[in-house]
Amino acid sequence: MQATWLACAQKKAQREGRSIVFIDESGLSERPSVARTWSLRGQTPILWHSFTWKQLSAIDALSLRQFYFRFFPGAIRTEQIIEFLGAPKRQMEKPLLIVWDGAAIHRSRKLNAWQEGLNGHIVAARLPAYAPELNPVEAIWAYLKKHEIANLCLNTIGEVGQFARNRLKSMQRRPALINAFWKQAELNF
């Protein structure tokens, strides 16, 4: 199923002269992503954090050699997706084939109308249901949360967002890491 779906998406993109861009959303909060760490023998590490649940949403687009991201307060809505899609549309020369999951915000009437107004510059393909492992952007979020911001205890969601933004910018400058995200999804491009 994976090979068939991927082959169809690649053929469609090649036939239409499009760049393939995978997209996914995630969230960050003031609560730390807990990961295993080192400490002195007999001294259990303790994470001190507030128990508030302020949230920051993020959206990421991954092309073959680079990725784009953006943070938004609260939940991501159709307006934020439209705003976000403007960046890769402006920065990439070819028309885009965006690949994402079947979330309700990806199927909204407002988003579909916006896409239709672009005269085919952006078209969408949906990942198969229950197949997050096919989206290499999932690997970006996993790496960020398990390595770059693991055990991060800051005072405000603004500080968490700024720290995560800096780490994502650092990740953007590491081509080997971007290749690893593609390999993690086992997609051959």
Side-chain angles (χ1 to χ4, degrees):
M1 179 171 162
Q2 173 186 342
T4 305
W5 174 86
L6 179 60
C8 290
Q10 283 181 305
K11 286 178 185 176
K12 177 180 176 75
Q14 188 175 24
R15 184 175 56 247
E16 298 175 1
R18 297 182 179 279
S19 295
I20 298 176
V21 178
F22 282 77
I23 295 179
D24 193 33
E25 300 85 16
S26 187
L28 301 172
S29 74
E30 292 176 346
R31 293 182 56 194
S33 298
V34 180
R36 180 175 278 196
T37 188
W38 296 93
S39 70
L40 296 174
R41 182 176 292 201
Q43 295 183 11
T44 303
I46 299 173
L47 298 176
W48 296 99
H49 64 89
S50 68
F51 285 95
T52 59
W53 190 257
K54 291 184 182 167
Q55 188 174 347
L56 190 63
S57 295
I59 186 169
D60 199 341
L62 175 66
S63 68
L64 192 57
R65 292 184 178 85
Q66 59 189 351
F67 68 89
Y68 312 88
F69 66 92
R70 191 92 181 262
F71 289 104
F72 295 98
I76 292 180
R77 308 249 187 266
T78 301
E79 293 78 18
Q80 284 93 6
I81 289 179
I82 291 171
E83 179 184 332
F84 175 77
L85 288 174
K89 178 183 170 288
R90 286 187 302 273
Q91 293 179 11
M92 299 181 82
E93 298 167 7
K94 293 181 178 181
L96 304 178
L97 170 64
I98 57 174
V99 181
W100 53 20
D101 57 28
I105 58 173
H106 299 160
R107 296 177 277 129
S108 74
R109 280 185 238 147
K110 191 173 186 177
L111 182 61
N112 289 336
W114 179 79
Q115 280 181 273
E116 288 173 12
L118 296 175
N119 298 322
H121 191 78
I122 295 179
V123 296
R126 299 225 184 328
L127 288 165
Y130 307 108
E133 68 279 359
L134 294 179
N135 193 340
V137 180
E138 295 280 356
I140 293 174
W141 297 129
Y143 186 84
L144 176 72
K145 292 176 181 181
K146 291 180 183 173
H147 299 284
E148 298 289 334
I149 64 170
N151 302 327
L152 179 68
C153 297
L154 297 175
N155 296 322
T156 67
I157 193 65
E159 291 173 353
V160 172
Q162 187 58 47
F163 191 87
R165 186 174 289 109
N166 291 341
R167 299 315 311 144
L168 283 166
K169 285 180 182 178
S170 171
M171 290 165 58
Q172 284 177 318
R173 296 186 297 267
R174 297 164 56 191
L177 189 59
I178 293 172
N179 287 337
F181 299 144
W182 285 103
K183 288 180 184 175
Q184 176 78 24
E186 298 180 5
L187 298 175
N188 299 320
F189 279 91

